[in-house]
Structure formats: C-alpha cells, structure tokens
C-alpha cells in the first residue's frame, strides 16, 4: 500500500531534494546524496520525513537533514543548520530585528496538527514569511544586512572532535578522520534544536544581538537598577498610547505587563520606556539597535540614566523635567 494511501501515514512527508543553505551544501559542485524515505522523525514536529545524507567536501563530516521541509518552509530555514536562508542568521536574531511573532506551537499535541495544515498552505517554494502578515521596518532590515554573512562559512562542516583523542587513546595520528582539538566548553556549545528553531534561549543569537547593540553604542550600563530606554526625536504627533503600541509591536515576545510605564514628554519630543526587569530592557535595546520607527519617524535610542546620588532608574512623572541620556 502506498504511504499516502495508508491513513496512519497520511501526514508523513515525501520529498525529492532538501532545502539547504550554501554552507551546508558544501564547496563541491558534484555532491552525491543518499535518500531515505521516512528515515527519522522531524526534530520539531515529530513527523516522519525523507532524510538526505551527504558529504559537503573533502575533509568535512557527513551531514544530514534534521527537520522536515514543511517546518523549514514555515521559518525559511535550512533543514540541517536551522539558520535563515536569506541572511544566514539564527531565527531569534531575524525575528527580533523584524518583529516577527512566533506562531508555531511547541506542545506535542498541537505541533503535528499545525505542520499538516501548513503543508497545504506552503505549496511550491513559498515560505511562511511570505504568506504571513509580516510588516518589516527599514531599521530592522538594515540591522540584518549588517549582521548577515555574505560568504559561506565552510568551517562549520569540519569533522567532530575525536573522542579517543580526548581520552589520550587515539593511535591513528594524521590518518584519523576526526579532529584532534580540545573542545571549548561554553554556552555556545550547548544548543537545542527546539530552541534554535523557535528562536528562544539561543546562546548564539544572544551573543550576536549583544555584540551588535554594543557596537551601536547601546552597551548595558553597569548600574543594574537602570531598566529604562530613552527615545528621542519623536514625531510631534506621537502620544503615550502610540508609543506604547509601537513598543509592543516591535517586541512580540513581550507582554504588556512587562512594561512598567511609558513617560512621554511632548514638549521635548522624547520619552522614557520603563521596564520591570533589566533583561527586558536589554532585549529592547538589542532589538532597537538600528533605531525604532514610531509614527513614521525613526527615533534615537539610548539607555536611561540613574538619578544623581540615587540608585533607582529614571521613572519620570508628567511634570518632571527630562533626564538627558
């Protein structure tokens, strides 16, 4: 019985060629792949799918697809490294810059149902970013252009570290197909497929966003009590409501309750966005590193300052004078 005719296999995926980035495909123009239908379950939706395996080039390790094509199209990512196909960046970096809401469910009950529904919507070469209501800002696109990797990074295809070498027992020498290096044990070495795909708690993304924010002059201040972001050069038509609405739109992962207050000083055309937690303020600074568009104007972004002689972050009232950033 054909797989699609079997009701138990109706949601399983068949494909003829994988969706890969240039780095994972390798520098060799003549790649020989092995194909195994329903070789494993998808790392995100758990549906069986067609697995491809290949060697990207001389001295590289064999690579394989880890998620199905439907999940790759939903996020517009590579089936192997789970990086964005257009910019070569983690999904958390792309979604933060473009303010994209993650709609894919993470529970075991809903994710397979969601993948089956998306499979019919994403016919051909469409991606989930093309079908969804994505409104991108010029500042977010400029941020991604600055962070994007223009050339393939084939160093990512190197062999794994030899486990016998780590024990001091490898006797192959230069003939060993694995690397004889000591691995670096840090947060970047511990990554999770689910976290990288859904764009949450990704250590690589956090490092990229943090370094970019610092390069734009938004290094978090040493005073950890400062939880305010200063907005300057606002539009004359801006109001406290319009600023709060735009802030929440630009930070889809943030709930309204996480914003303590928005203090708008119309006379000075500036505002303070006060967050309840320092981590939320740092996330906002990273997302707005290239500016934030509010009411048609690109506003300046700076960290707030603590009051002279005090330890609290600035929380201005409507009658208080603005504190320069």
């Amino acid at each position: 019985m054909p797989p699609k005719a079997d009701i138990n296999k109706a949601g399983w995926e068949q494909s003829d060629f994988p969706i890969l980035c240039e780095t994972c495909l390798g520098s060799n123009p003549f790649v020989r792949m092995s194909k195994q239908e329903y070789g494993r379950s998808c790392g995100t939706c758990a549906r069986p799918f067609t697995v491809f395996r290949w060697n990207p080039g001389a001295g590289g390790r064999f690579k394989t697809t880890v998620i199905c094509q439907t999940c790759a199209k939903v996020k517009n990512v590579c089936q192997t490294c789970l990086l964005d196909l257009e910019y070569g960046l983690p999904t958390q970096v792309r979604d933060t810059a473009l303010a994209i809401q993650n709609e894919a469910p993470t529970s075991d009950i809903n994710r397979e149902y969601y993948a089956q529904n998306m499979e019919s919507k994403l016919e051909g070469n469409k991606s989930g970013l093309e079908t969804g209501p994505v409104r991108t800002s010029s500042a977010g696109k400029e941020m991604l252009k600055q962070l994007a990797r223009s050339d393939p990074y084939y160093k990512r295809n190197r062999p794994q570290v030899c486990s016998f070498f780590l024990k001091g027992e490898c006797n192959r020498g230069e003939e060993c197909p694995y690397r004889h290096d000591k691995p670096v044990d840090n947060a970047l070495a511990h990554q999770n497929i689910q976290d990288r795909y859904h764009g949450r708690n990704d250590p690589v993304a956090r490092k990229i966003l943090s370094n970019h924010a610092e390069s734009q002059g938004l290094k978090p201040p040493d005073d950890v009590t400062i939880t305010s972001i200063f907005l300057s050069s606002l539009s004359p038509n801006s109001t406290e409501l319009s600023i709060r609405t735009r802030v929440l739109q630009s930070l889809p992962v943030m709930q309204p309750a996480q914003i303590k207050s928005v203090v708008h000083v119309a006379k000075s055309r500036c505002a303070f966005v006060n967050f309840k937690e320092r981590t939320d303020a740092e996330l906002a600074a990273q997302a707005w590193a290239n500016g934030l568009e509010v009411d048609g104007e690109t506003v300046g972004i700076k960290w707030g300052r603590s009051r002279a002689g005090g330890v609290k972050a600035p929380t201005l009232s409507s009658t208080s004078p603005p504190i320069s950033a």
Side-chain angles (χ1 to χ4, degrees), residues 84 94 97 150 160 178 212 222 265 275:
D84 181 75
R94 181 200 62 195
S150 57
Q160 301 287 358
Y178 299 97
H212 180 68
D222 296 333
V265 185
F275 297 90

Side-chain angles (χ1 to χ4, degrees), residues 135-201:
R135 296 183 299 175
T136 59
S137 63
S138 57
K141 291 182 179 179
E142 183 63 27
M143 176 179 172
L144 292 179
K145 288 180 181 179
Q146 294 177 5
L147 296 175
R149 185 182 292 275
S150 57
D151 299 321
Y153 185 62
Y154 296 128
K155 189 178 179 180
R156 209 168 62 218
N157 298 333
R158 293 181 302 170
Q160 301 287 358
V161 177
C162 178
S163 60
F164 288 94
F165 171 77
L166 297 178
K167 300 175 184 178
E169 300 176 356
C170 183
N171 54 11
R172 292 185 177 184
E174 296 181 355
E175 297 181 356
C176 183
Y178 299 97
R179 283 190 294 140
H180 285 189
D181 298 328
K182 290 184 178 181
V184 179
D185 189 13
N186 54 24
L188 302 181
H190 303 282
Q191 300 183 50
N192 183 279
I193 290 181
Q194 292 283 344
D195 290 344
R196 166 163 280 202
Y197 177 80
H198 292 286
R200 63 190 183 194
N201 302 323

Side-chain angles (χ1 to χ4, degrees), residues 36 117 128 198 230:
Q36 182 182 8
N117 289 341
H198 292 286
F230 177 70

Side-chain angles (χ1 to χ4, degrees), residues 40-44 49 51-52 64-68 78-82 193:
R40 63 184 296 180
S41 60
C42 175
T44 58
F49 72 104
V51 176
F52 295 88
T64 183
T65 51
V66 295
I67 63 172
C68 66
C78 171
Q79 282 188 264
T80 298
C81 65
L82 306 186
I193 290 181

